[in-house]
Amino acid sequence: AHIAVQGYLKLAAQGKYMEALQLIKTENPLPAVCGHICNRACESECTRGDVDQAVAIDEVKKFIAEQELNSATRFVPKKLYDMSDKKIAVIGSGPAGLSCAYYLATDNYQVTVFDKNELPGGMLRYGIPSFRLEKTVLDAEIDVLKELGVIFRCGVEVGRDVTIQQLREQGFEAIYLAVGAQKSAALGIPGEELKGVWG
């Protein structure tokens, strides 16, 4: 994600957790989610591993990002511009839709996210089990977007409940499609059709 890893590690070592979180969020609007589900591939490339062991990059990021879980300590960026006269629709509230909404909201656009599910989060909510990603972590990240002024309209399927043309008539000047790829791919192995096997 092009995050300045050395930068946030240095800030964290100095106890500047909010500054570290702010640095992470310049490139990654969902640091708490990523801290929980990351496979830590960067740690296998960490040159410190040539000396003894890799720096626990993901654990540090996860610790920093846990500031987001508490409304008193979370980082909500200041609005950069005033584009509040422009309405943008984001269709889909998975990682792509949430990221788009975050960056548009920091530029102070009026952002409305539409999702056909009852709760926002897309595959982060409906595809990743809770033992891997607690929903309270996802909800905290979404709360940051709400604090930025993003409106969520869940239970609304664009194309069925409202059309693209109707969104344009409602004043949305741009529409970002982030509908995802929620269909599970078959593995082609014996037994995958058995009861209790889930894609």
Side-chain angles (χ1 to χ4, degrees), residues 18-170:
M18 288 305 292
E19 290 90 337
L21 182 58
Q22 181 176 356
L23 180 59
I24 291 169
K25 290 185 82 163
T26 59
E27 300 295 338
N28 181 354
L30 306 171
V33 165
C34 289
H36 280 76
I37 63 175
C38 181
N39 64 5
R40 303 189 313 269
C42 61
E43 292 178 17
S44 63
E45 300 298 318
C46 178
T47 55
R48 180 69 197 182
D50 297 336
V51 178
D52 45 32
Q53 63 185 26
V55 175
I57 298 168
D58 186 54
E59 288 300 319
V60 174
K61 177 173 61 183
K62 186 176 177 182
F63 172 78
I64 293 167
E66 283 180 354
Q67 309 304 308
E68 298 277 72
L69 306 185
N70 183 339
S71 60
T73 60
R74 69 177 44 129
F75 172 72
V76 179
K78 294 191 176 13
K79 305 288 180 103
L80 299 175
Y81 309 105
D82 185 8
M83 307 299 285
S84 57
D85 60 328
K86 308 264 190 270
K87 288 175 63 176
I88 312 290
V90 175
I91 302 172
S93 66
L98 294 176
S99 297
C100 179
Y102 176 85
Y103 289 117
L104 287 170
T106 59
D107 284 347
N108 206 13
Y109 285 94
Q110 288 184 56
V111 183
T112 303
V113 178
F114 296 86
D115 199 285
K116 68 179 182 179
N117 294 307
E118 292 304 311
L119 294 170
M123 293 304 284
L124 296 174
R125 183 177 304 280
Y126 297 104
I128 300 174
S130 294
F131 68 81
R132 190 78 172 113
L133 175 63
E134 297 173 26
K135 301 318 174 216
T136 54
V137 173
L138 175 60
D139 290 337
E141 301 271 46
I142 291 169
D143 285 345
V144 172
L145 293 172
K146 290 177 179 177
E147 287 187 46
L148 283 167
V150 175
I151 298 167
F152 287 89
R153 292 195 49 207
C154 294
V156 177
E157 185 173 348
V158 176
R160 186 191 69 195
D161 301 319
V162 64
T163 65
I164 298 286
Q165 183 57 38
Q166 288 171 326
L167 291 177
R168 292 203 182 280
E169 290 167 3
Q170 292 172 23

